[in-house]
């Protein structure tokens, strides 16, 4: 049973989704929640982990991703449809958050090209730290899932992860990360259990989990974070970063880690 504050935030997110092309203000959103804008901002941050403006921006980019791979509309039309009056601003924000330009995202079919330098992680690297934990699925008949696990600087997964791996759930994951790193762990299983078309699957058939994590300073630090992958709820922030294609790669069976650059 949702409490009244959560129900109010769900109404706001529904209003955001229905009006992505409109210039929604904080006052507009607070009015939907029937709170003062200051109380609304605090409650929204508490319920979702991000500010209302940040959540709205993420919804707009999520919808742009969907339109790029499901329609033949040009980038200008899509940017207008999701509330951007400047295609330049839209393209730069999309590229920064998703990791590919809108044109390249469409060309790649909603995936990021497979990163190079993949290798198995079985222990901590010298000079760094380690995040490890168990990936679990609710007891609802889910089959084993291919899962992307990444450490990101903020609650909304966007841009380049600090470290990431592709593995399976239920099972164990390992991430080698720089000492003293903190951020948010994201686990993402695409809509199809085989990993096909991760950004086109039914959103409610996907499984996601996220939790903050912090490594102690100094070499050899460890952090443990178990995750239960569940259906995204109405207040779950969108996953913006473009995912690698997770279907059928032999390396996925070996729990490979995709070594990507730490963002500046």
């Amino acid at each position: 049973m949702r409490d009244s504050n959560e129900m109010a935030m769900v109404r706001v997110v529904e209003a955001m989704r229905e009006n992505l092309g409109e210039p929604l203000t904080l006052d507009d959103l607070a009015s939907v929640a029937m709170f003062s804008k200051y109380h609304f901002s605090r409650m929204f941050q508490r319920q979702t982990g991000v500010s209302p403006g940040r959540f709205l921006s993420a919804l707009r980019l999520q919808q742009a991703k969907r339109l790029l791979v499901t329609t033949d509309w040009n980038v200008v039309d899509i940017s207008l449809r999701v509330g951007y009056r400047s295609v330049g601003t839209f393209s730069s924000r999309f590229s920064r958050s998703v990791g590919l330009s809108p044109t390249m995202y469409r060309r790649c079919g909603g995936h990021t090209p497979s990163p190079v330098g993949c290798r198995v992680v079985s222990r901590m690297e010298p000079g760094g730290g380690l995040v490890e934990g168990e990936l679990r699925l609710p007891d609802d008949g889910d089959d084993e899932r291919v899962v992307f696990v990444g450490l990101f600087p903020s609650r909304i997964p966007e841009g380049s992860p600090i470290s990431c791996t592709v593995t399976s759930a239920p099972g164990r994951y390992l991430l080698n990360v720089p000492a003293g790193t903190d951020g948010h762990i994201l686990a993402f299983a695409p809509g199809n259990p085989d990993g096909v078309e991760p950004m086109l699957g039914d959103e409610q058939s996907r499984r996601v989990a996220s939790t903050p994590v912090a490594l102690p300073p100094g070499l050899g630090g460890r952090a443990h974070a178990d995750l239960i992958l569940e259906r995204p709820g109405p207040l779950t922030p969108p996953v913006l970063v473009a995912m690698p294609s997770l279907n059928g790669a032999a390396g996925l069976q070996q729990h490979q880690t995709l070594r990507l650059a730490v963002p500046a």
Side-chain angles (χ1 to χ4, degrees):
M1 180 70 70
R2 292 172 180 162
D3 64 26
S4 59
N5 287 330
E6 184 180 357
M7 291 175 64
M9 299 308 109
V10 170
R11 287 200 308 272
V12 170
V13 171
E14 290 173 349
M16 289 179 178
R17 292 184 183 277
E18 293 169 2
N19 298 279
L20 291 177
E22 302 301 319
L24 296 173
T25 66
L26 184 60
D27 285 326
D28 294 332
L29 300 175
S31 177
V32 172
M34 294 185 288
F35 293 154
S36 74
K37 65 180 180 181
Y38 304 106
H39 181 61
F40 163 66
S41 293
R42 289 194 299 272
M43 291 306 306
F44 194 93
Q45 181 91 31
R46 182 179 303 170
Q47 293 282 346
T48 67
V50 297
S51 70
R54 190 71 193 85
F55 199 101
L56 175 58
S57 176
L59 287 179
R60 285 173 166 156
L61 293 177
Q62 180 189 51
Q63 176 67 354
K65 290 168 67 178
R66 185 175 293 113
L67 294 175
L68 283 164
V69 294
T70 60
T71 75
D72 60 0
W73 298 349
N74 62 44
V75 172
V76 174
D77 289 340
I78 289 174
S79 67
L80 291 172
R81 181 64 65 97
V82 298
Y84 286 88
R85 299 298 174 258
S86 164
V87 68
T89 299
F90 165 72
S91 295
S92 63
R93 290 185 181 174
F94 187 98
S95 300
R96 183 173 65 248
S97 295
V98 177
L100 299 171
S101 70
T103 301
M104 182 61 69
Y105 184 80
R106 168 175 277 169
R107 187 177 301 161
C108 293
H111 304 142
T112 186
S114 296
V116 298
C118 297
R119 58 188 179 77
V120 176
V121 171
S122 58
R123 58 186 174 82
M124 184 185 300
E125 290 183 344
L130 186 74
V131 180
E132 58 186 331
E134 294 293 326
L135 299 173
R136 301 169 185 163
L137 296 168
D139 187 19
D140 62 358
D142 262 342
D143 295 324
E144 184 178 71
R145 295 279 188 135
V146 177
V147 182
F148 170 95
V149 184
L151 176 64
F152 290 85
S154 65
R155 175 71 176 86
I156 293 181
E158 60 183 345
S160 294
I162 297 168
S163 180
C164 58
T165 190
V166 176
T167 181
S168 59
R172 184 169 178 249
Y173 74 91
L174 297 172
L175 291 174
N176 278 312
V177 300
T181 299
D182 59 15
H184 279 77
I185 294 284
L186 165 80
F188 175 90
N192 185 310
D194 296 325
V196 178
E197 295 182 324
M199 298 317 301
L200 297 180
D202 174 13
E203 189 167 331
Q204 286 305 304
S205 68
R206 299 172 185 166
R207 300 291 181 269
V208 296
S210 179
T211 188
V213 67
L215 268 73
L219 303 183
R222 287 176 177 264
H224 189 92
D226 293 336
L227 295 164
I228 300 176
L229 288 101
E230 299 180 301
R231 291 180 176 87
L235 300 180
T236 303
V239 175
L240 294 184
V241 62
M243 292 291 171
S245 179
L246 302 182
N247 57 306
L252 304 189
Q253 304 301 320
Q254 303 175 7
H255 299 182
Q256 291 178 315
T257 289
L258 315 180
R259 300 298 295 168
L260 302 181
V262 178

